[in-house]
Amino acid sequence: MIHTDDILFDLRSWLWQRPDNLGPSNDLAAFRYELLELAQAGGWIVEEIGPVFGESLPLLRRADAAADLPRVLIASGFHGEESAGPWGMLEFLRTLPAECHTQVTLTLLPLVNPTGFSAGKRFNRLGENPNRGWGRGKGDDQPSAEGRLLLAHGERLRALGRDGVLACHEDVAAHHTYAYTFEPERSVPGQLTAALLNEAQRHFALYPDGLVDGCPIQGGCVFNHYDGSFEAWLSDSGVACAACIETPGQQDFGQRVIAQAGLMQAFVAQRVSAFG
Ligand code: NI
């Protein structure tokens, strides 16, 4: 099903200026250059999941992955107008302590929807929504071109995100921050949700209780809501927990980038501590 709101969203291009006059938020060449530099400096292996519409869809993984460490998958850039996610992942890479890799095996999908990113638009070049058409709750939605590529690696992504999956989004209409969390063993939000929301409110005020996108939200959280998204699909596929963070597009872009990186760090730290 195509939602009216989604069509309205996709007509519009959302661009921001990066701090320090570094250029616009949709500068794909600059993003790729910085990503490859950081990946090389940090000892990451860069794999190609794409191409999609002729563009790279990279996956970053560790060569030094140890079997006895928790495995965490972080993905960003599903929606092209939510560009603080991918830039936040660069900030995360820039500030990640090297010791982290002795505690957790990370895998990163820094930019799932490159054609949306370069256009500053929500959907991909064909107008497909890369974060719909996944698993339970997908209804009649079909996976996008990006979704089909990722689904071809589905078993592997599930294994790489066994102990936690984080998807990094923004809500361009929002002034407040919130999260969708999946703690499938629980009926009420637990420590994962608390850790993410604690970090989120260091940066922005939490979304008021009520409804967000038609979903009940309480304390800044939409809980265990299976909506046909990537993170809902992986949660349903048996990973320990999953979450989707949302930074507010009506706030300063530079602060959103810092918040995204902080939320990625908080997610990893919580997963490491939960693993014991
Ligand atoms: Ni989104």
Side-chain angles (χ1 to χ4, degrees), residues 241-257:
C241 63
C244 164
I245 51 172
E246 301 273 356
T247 51
Q250 296 297 311
Q251 303 288 353
D252 176 76
F253 184 75
Q255 284 182 27
R256 285 151 48 200
V257 170

Side-chain angles (χ1 to χ4, degrees), residues 1-7 122-123 127-134 137-143 213 227-228:
M1 175 177 163
I2 297 189
H3 305 280
T4 314
D5 280 358
D6 280 341
I7 293 169
R122 185 169 183 79
F123 297 154
E128 299 169 324
N129 184 344
N131 203 34
R132 284 294 178 268
W134 298 89
K138 75 184 169 79
D140 296 332
D141 292 338
Q142 296 300 312
D213 260 339
D227 53 2

Side-chain angles (χ1 to χ4, degrees), residues 135-153:
R136 174 153 55 121
K138 75 184 169 79
D140 296 332
D141 292 338
Q142 296 300 312
S144 69
E146 298 79 9
R148 293 193 298 275
L149 287 168
L150 294 175
L151 279 166
H153 294 261

Side-chain angles (χ1 to χ4, degrees), residues 79 82 122 169-170 246:
H79 291 140
E82 303 172 6
R122 185 169 183 79
H169 286 251
E170 297 201 276
E246 301 273 356

Side-chain angles (χ1 to χ4, degrees), residues 112-128:
V112 169
N113 174 10
T115 58
F117 180 89
S118 63
K121 290 177 132 191
R122 185 169 183 79
F123 297 154
N124 70 16
R125 184 169 289 172
L126 289 182
E128 299 169 324

